[in-house]
């Protein structure tokens, strides 16, 4: 299903993807925060970071069945 976004250099992204695929609501918030911190500490351009932060925020606010779609967008920005 989400195999097209699995090649990514952020291990935090991989963990969040796995959590969403397995519908683990208890770990979702922590994993999203860890991805946010990883992006914050990365060498990514500030403009690109803002886009990713916005997408992570939307990920937390969307319904469970829409999260894979938002993760694909995030994965595309993290390449």
């Amino acid at each position: 299903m989400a195999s097209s976004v699995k090649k990514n250099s952020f291990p935090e992204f991989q963990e969040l993807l796995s959590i969403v695929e397995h519908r683990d609501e208890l770990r979702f918030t922590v994993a999203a925060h860890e991805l946010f911190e990883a992006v914050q500490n990365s060498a990514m351009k500030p403009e690109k970071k803002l886009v990713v932060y916005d997408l992570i925020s939307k990920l937390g606010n969307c319904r469970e069945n829409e999260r894979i779609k938002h993760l694909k967008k995030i994965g595309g920005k993290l390449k």
Side-chain angles (χ1 to χ4, degrees), residues 4-69:
S4 62
V5 295
K6 290 197 177 191
K7 294 183 179 181
N8 195 290
S9 61
F10 285 84
E12 295 84 1
F13 176 81
Q14 299 293 13
E15 182 177 353
L16 183 58
L17 178 62
S18 174
I19 288 168
V20 169
E21 287 177 334
H22 293 96
R23 301 177 190 266
D24 188 346
E25 286 297 314
L26 296 175
R27 295 183 55 220
F28 174 76
T29 303
V30 172
H33 181 72
E34 288 174 353
L35 177 59
F36 183 89
E37 285 182 348
V39 171
Q40 186 175 20
N41 296 327
S42 73
M44 194 181 298
K45 292 182 181 180
E47 304 83 26
K48 196 170 181 181
K49 284 183 181 183
L50 290 175
V51 171
V52 174
Y53 295 157
D54 183 53
L55 290 172
I56 292 172
S57 174
K58 288 178 182 176
L59 179 67
N61 294 327
C62 70
R63 283 184 252 140
E64 190 175 290
N65 60 348
E66 297 174 340
R67 288 182 178 164
I68 293 291
K69 180 178 81 172

